[in-house]
Amino acid sequence: MPIWLALLIRVAAVLVAFLVLPLLVGQAEHKVMAHMQGRLGPMYAGAFHGWAQLVADGLKFVQKEDVTPRDADRSVFRLAPVVALVPYLLVLLVIPLGPNDLAGQPLDVGLFFVLAVVGVGVLAVLMSAWASANNYSLLGGLRGAAQLLGYELPLVLAAASVAMAAGTLSLSGIVEAWRPWWLLWQAPAMIVFFVAGLAEIRRPPFDMPVADSELVFGYMTEYTGLRFAFFLLAEYVGIVVIAALTTVLFLGGWHGPLADDQLGWLWTLLKVFAVAFVIIWLRVSYPRLREDQLQRLCWLVLVPASLAQLVLTAAVRVAL
């Protein structure tokens, strides 16, 4: 097969995953929240178990008027939803689904690339906040910037711990070096990475930038129609990305109870959806953190824990 054709097939597969997996997560969130909170509405659309609820939501967004505030910086305002989506698409390109470089584009420095690209998300928050010409949006953007810049540090330190343990920055190399006992040894790093990842995608209980009771909807207040839908899609893609990175870095990726690596892609997807379920469950179960609580958790708990884990990993590597 020509190289260009193989590359085209891989990119097309990643694009399909980029469009389908977030919709599956969104549909799962509708159903999980409906069951956990006893919400009957999402269980009726389409009759059987409310299967058409997500379709109904999509049609609702398409029909809404696309409004741009009169005083907004129009070009930046319209570009912000795209900037929110593109980094996650680039990250999905390098996440391995199975062995033998089963990824859109495997990189030897895949972890470095992922951490660098995920950090671009703060630009979308600041762009939408500034360009909206709305005080609520601006306050939400400032909260989001402070949150994202703070939680970048524990996220990177936790990822550095597992990279040091594996001795490589390649995501596939990390999965190949993974051993079941890492579930205990790297457990603190996994918890720190997961919590910091939730803050990075601004999911409850880390949703202070869009606190509806205080800021209407934060930096997304002035967005309507498809542009608002793009921001919501970016949130669901973020769930897929954080779940996939947690799976690849800390849960063994394609390793399963069977020795057959041909089903590795299936084990990866099952783990990703299991982690995504935990993210949805946390949204239903925990109240929103105040700004001071959010920053205190970052600087007084997660950063020291990630540094301690990094020291432990270095000591074990030297001893071995």
Side-chain angles (χ1 to χ4, degrees), residues 67-78 80 124-142 215-216 218-223:
V67 178
T68 301
R70 181 185 59 189
D71 297 329
D73 187 330
R74 292 179 176 271
S75 59
V76 177
F77 182 85
R78 293 171 179 172
V125 175
L126 291 174
M127 288 170 65
S128 59
W130 174 258
S132 294
N134 180 298
N135 289 335
Y136 290 116
S137 298
L138 184 59
L139 287 173
L142 293 176
L215 303 177
V216 187
Y219 60 91
M220 292 186 285
T221 296
E222 296 292 351
Y223 284 90

Side-chain angles (χ1 to χ4, degrees), residues 86-273:
V86 170
Y88 294 130
L89 174 60
L90 296 178
V91 169
L92 287 177
L93 281 171
V94 302
I95 294 179
L97 188 62
N100 303 318
D101 289 334
L102 185 59
Q105 180 58 53
L107 295 177
D108 292 336
V109 290
L111 181 58
F112 179 82
F113 175 83
V114 164
L115 295 176
V117 172
V118 167
V120 176
V122 68
L123 293 179
V125 175
L126 291 174
M127 288 170 65
S128 59
W130 174 258
S132 294
N134 180 298
N135 289 335
Y136 290 116
S137 298
L138 184 59
L139 287 173
L142 293 176
R143 284 184 180 184
Q147 177 173 315
L148 296 178
L149 292 175
Y151 278 85
E152 277 286 324
L153 182 57
L155 184 80
V156 171
L157 290 175
S161 174
V162 73
M164 183 184 297
T168 179
L169 288 174
S170 167
L171 295 176
S172 296
I174 291 173
V175 177
E176 291 171 356
W178 184 87
R179 296 294 180 268
W181 67 280
W182 284 23
L183 291 173
L184 295 177
W185 177 39
Q186 294 294 324
M190 179 178 67
I191 295 172
V192 170
F193 184 90
F194 179 73
V195 173
L198 286 182
E200 285 289 311
I201 59 176
R202 300 168 296 284
R203 286 284 299 184
F206 301 97
D207 57 339
M208 279 297 291
V210 293
D212 54 333
S213 59
E214 304 171 22
L215 303 177
V216 187
F217 218 61
Y219 60 91
M220 292 186 285
T221 296
E222 296 292 351
Y223 284 90
T224 58
L226 284 178
R227 289 195 177 91
F228 182 74
F230 286 159
F231 271 116
L232 293 185
L233 179 61
E235 179 180 330
Y236 288 125
V237 180
I239 293 176
V240 173
V241 166
I242 294 301
L245 288 176
T246 303
T247 297
V248 168
L249 296 177
F250 300 100
L251 299 179
W254 59 77
H255 293 302
L258 304 178
D260 186 9
D261 283 341
Q262 298 300 319
L263 294 177
W265 61 271
L266 179 60
W267 293 117
T268 301
L269 289 178
L270 288 175
K271 293 175 185 179
V272 168
F273 280 107

